[in-house]
Amino acid sequence: MSDRARSFGAIAESYERFRPGYPEELFRLVTAYAGDPVRTALEIGAGTGKATRLFARPGLTVTATEPDPAMLAELRRHLPADVRTAQLAFEELPTDETYGLVYAAAALHWTAPAGRWPRIAALLRPGGVFASFGGPVQLADPAVEEAVRRARAPFLTTDEIPSPDGTPPERAMQWPGTELERSEWFTDVRQAVLARRLTVSAHDYLGHLSTVSAYLVLPAPDRAEVFDRIGRVLPARVELAADITVHLARRRDER
């Protein structure tokens, strides 16, 4: 998984161009759960700032952290000057400052599991909120999905990331909610799904795949071949199921 986690810097501009952003509905969901107005937020693994742009607004000071220098440079090109940024991995974050909100957008699975929850708790004020959100971008048409699966099969059995704790997909509560429910540091764990459908050109869908870590770690000739094969089976435009799964939890006032 570490090779996949380190694969994004080379395609930072494509990541910014082809990855979808996040809807206003997500901001409303997180802030409604928080209750009291959130004044400070820390973002883990901000990438090119897709979620940073959603949360950075008057009255809410965001500190966006990202370990990859190329991704962070792309983020800085798209954000207002009052967003604080730091080139730091989650495991390197100092815990001498606390926040009302700590969040991760499609990034938490790249963090080291050892000490994850005590560290996040240390970054939150008592009663502060943790939010994790993301989800795979999948082809909505089963026939197109099957054609792509067959085209991809000689190179990849799947391009998705398995559940970090092995939670099966049919279980109601998914990771990281499963770990949050077991953690002594958090309470009031909730899971919500924001349904989202997108329609894009075949070219843009291939552009999205070019930012997916499973393809990025393939040898360059294999990556070119699999994209060529997938491109041949795609219609001119494709519908995508890009639901966002949101996990929310509150730091306990006392351990």
Side-chain angles (χ1 to χ4, degrees), residues 14 18 42 57 95 102 105 111-112 123 131 135 175 181 230 238 244:
S14 293
F18 294 114
L42 175 75
R57 55 187 69 202
T95 56
V102 173
T111 63
L123 292 164
W175 186 91
E181 287 185 323
I230 292 173
V238 294
I244 302 168

Side-chain angles (χ1 to χ4, degrees), residues 85-251:
T85 61
Q87 186 183 329
L88 291 170
F90 166 70
E91 295 77 15
E92 300 169 328
L93 292 175
T95 56
D96 56 351
E97 183 175 358
T98 58
Y99 304 84
L101 169 68
V102 173
Y103 68 93
L108 191 68
H109 51 276
W110 300 128
T111 63
R116 177 188 287 135
W117 302 117
R119 175 170 285 275
I120 290 176
L123 292 164
L124 282 167
R125 62 171 176 78
V129 170
F130 172 69
S132 176
F133 44 87
V137 174
Q138 300 170 317
L139 291 158
D141 186 325
V144 177
E145 170 60 30
E146 176 58 21
V148 169
R149 187 197 65 77
R150 290 197 304 268
R152 183 186 64 217
F155 305 92
L156 291 170
T157 56
T158 180
D159 57 10
E160 295 185 7
I161 295 170
S163 171
D165 69 349
T167 301
E170 64 272 12
R171 186 167 297 174
M173 178 62 76
Q174 289 293 299
W175 186 91
T178 47
E179 289 187 5
L180 284 163
E181 287 185 323
R182 297 192 296 267
S183 171
E184 64 180 308
W185 297 96
F186 293 93
T187 186
D188 193 19
V189 178
R190 301 185 196 178
Q191 176 179 283
V193 177
L194 304 180
R196 182 170 60 165
R197 291 294 181 273
L198 308 170
T199 301
V200 301
S201 67
H203 173 271
D204 283 2
Y205 177 65
L206 286 170
H208 171 80
L209 292 185
S210 77
T211 72
V212 173
S213 60
Y215 298 97
L216 290 171
V217 297
L218 290 174
D222 289 353
R223 188 163 61 247
E225 176 66 19
V226 71
F227 288 156
D228 180 66
R229 293 188 182 201
I230 292 173
R232 281 187 248 141
V233 302
L234 290 175
R237 298 188 68 77
V238 294
E239 184 181 5
L240 304 175
D243 295 352
I244 302 168
T245 301
V246 186
H247 288 96
L248 299 164
R250 198 176 305 276
R251 191 206 191 281

Side-chain angles (χ1 to χ4, degrees), residues 57-103:
R57 55 187 69 202
L60 205 172
T61 301
V62 173
T63 299
T65 65
E66 166 57 45
D68 188 284
M71 296 288 274
L72 189 62
E74 187 68 24
L75 176 148
R76 286 169 172 158
R77 279 195 278 272
H78 301 282
L79 289 177
D82 58 350
V83 172
R84 298 164 57 189
T85 61
Q87 186 183 329
L88 291 170
F90 166 70
E91 295 77 15
E92 300 169 328
L93 292 175
T95 56
D96 56 351
E97 183 175 358
T98 58
Y99 304 84
L101 169 68
V102 173
Y103 68 93

